[in-house]
Amino acid sequence: MNCLKGMGQFLTEEEGMGTVEIILIIVVLVSLVILFKSQITSVANTIFKKITTQSNKV
């Protein structure tokens, strides 16, 4: 009976939920970066090219 009470308390604890949520968010962000790596790189290169060409005009 004592074991069942301890199991119930374990299942209702929410202390570790913040850590799990943060880890899941990081995993999702990393997977999105991996999936869209080429698109992100092309956008960044375009932005840096514009910055370089327009800074020469100033």
Side-chain angles (χ1 to χ4, degrees):
M1 188 68 175
N2 217 4
C3 181
L4 293 176
K5 186 177 179 182
M7 244 348 220
Q9 284 180 335
F10 175 75
L11 293 174
T12 58
E13 285 183 12
E14 296 183 7
E15 294 176 3
M17 293 302 288
T19 306
V20 172
E21 291 167 356
I22 291 172
I23 290 172
L24 287 175
I25 290 170
I26 291 172
V27 167
V28 168
L29 289 176
V30 168
S31 62
L32 286 174
V33 168
I34 290 171
L35 285 174
F36 298 107
K37 182 180 177 183
S38 61
Q39 289 90 346
I40 293 171
T41 305
S42 69
V43 168
N45 286 336
T46 304
I47 291 171
F48 286 128
K49 285 178 187 177
K50 284 185 180 182
I51 290 172
T52 305
T53 57
Q54 292 181 1
S55 67
N56 290 335
K57 294 179 184 178
V58 175

